[in-house]
Amino acid sequence: MDNEDLIAAMAGGDESALRELFSRHAPWLAVRLRAALPPPDVEDVLQETFLAAWRGAGTYRREGAGGWLWGIARRQAALWLRRRGQPALLLSALADTDDRHVADPADAALSRAELADAVKVLGPEGSLQRETWRLMYVEDKSVAEVAELMGVPAGTVKSRAYQIRRLMRAALRRHEPARDGGGK
């Protein structure tokens, strides 16, 4: 079975599909989580990640299993750190969003600073966009949960999430080096 088939089987309640997905993806997820978490916490966050994947398998939209699982793992790591009162580490848990491993502490600090700058484009703490970002992408709440907490329709939450992703992408791209070729 490919990853998408495994996730579909999980959505149907197949525990063996969960075990197979775990065996395929837990090793590389653990390596990436070790960059943001103390070693004793990695296993706990992995368990939380696959529990969240089990619960959310029915909402999976064939976006690529690896990226989907890494997104869940990042959110679980951020929640784990927040519950332990380590907000400074929260940004480093969220900053590593691609497949490159940041080995240089200066590069890691730069990534954290870039992410902090990108979050600022969402407005001041407590603003609607910033609160939506926090609930969805830091606390891993569903659209329905965020809508209920904020007292707005689910469509409003989806629109805000779209805007947030657009703003964050644009803010993070400002830090990318210019491309050769003189394009627009």
Side-chain angles (χ1 to χ4, degrees):
M1 293 177 100
D2 68 11
N3 290 323
E4 277 72 23
D5 292 337
L6 288 172
I7 294 169
M10 278 177 24
D14 184 348
E15 291 179 22
S16 65
L18 173 63
R19 283 191 292 279
E20 178 62 25
L21 199 70
F22 183 90
S23 70
R24 288 183 188 181
H25 294 278
W28 70 265
L29 285 169
V31 168
R32 292 185 76 181
L33 287 170
R34 282 187 197 106
L37 295 171
D41 294 342
V42 171
E43 187 174 326
D44 292 327
V45 171
L46 274 176
Q47 288 178 5
E48 293 295 323
T49 297
F50 282 92
L51 262 167
W54 173 263
R55 284 187 227 117
T59 63
Y60 176 72
R61 289 179 177 70
R62 294 191 177 271
E63 59 218 33
W68 179 68
L69 287 168
W70 176 237
I72 294 170
R74 273 195 336 255
R75 287 187 294 276
Q76 293 302 322
L79 287 169
W80 190 263
L81 291 167
R82 177 175 277 187
R83 283 191 296 259
R84 277 148 191 77
Q86 298 172 321
L89 293 176
L90 176 64
L91 286 178
S92 68
L94 295 173
D96 183 24
T97 57
D98 62 24
D99 289 330
R100 293 174 292 142
H101 177 68
V102 181
D104 183 355
D107 287 343
L110 183 59
S111 293
R112 285 191 299 275
E114 289 169 354
L115 182 61
D117 284 346
V119 170
K120 288 178 186 174
V121 303
L122 302 178
E125 192 132 352
S127 68
L128 293 174
Q129 286 184 320
R130 189 103 171 241
E131 187 65 9
T132 303
W133 173 80
R134 184 184 65 76
L135 291 169
M136 289 187 74
Y137 301 108
V138 176
E139 293 189 15
D140 195 28
K141 303 254 187 241
S142 69
V143 169
E145 291 171 315
V146 174
E148 185 177 326
L149 287 168
M150 297 185 84
V152 297
T156 301
V157 173
K158 290 177 185 178
S159 294
R160 287 180 188 163
Y162 172 79
Q163 286 294 96
I164 289 165
R165 287 190 303 272
R166 227 184 78 220
L167 288 167
M168 294 283 288
R169 231 184 332 265
L172 290 168
R173 283 189 181 134
R174 282 186 292 196
H175 297 286
E176 290 179 359
R179 293 182 186 175
D180 291 337
K184 291 183 183 179

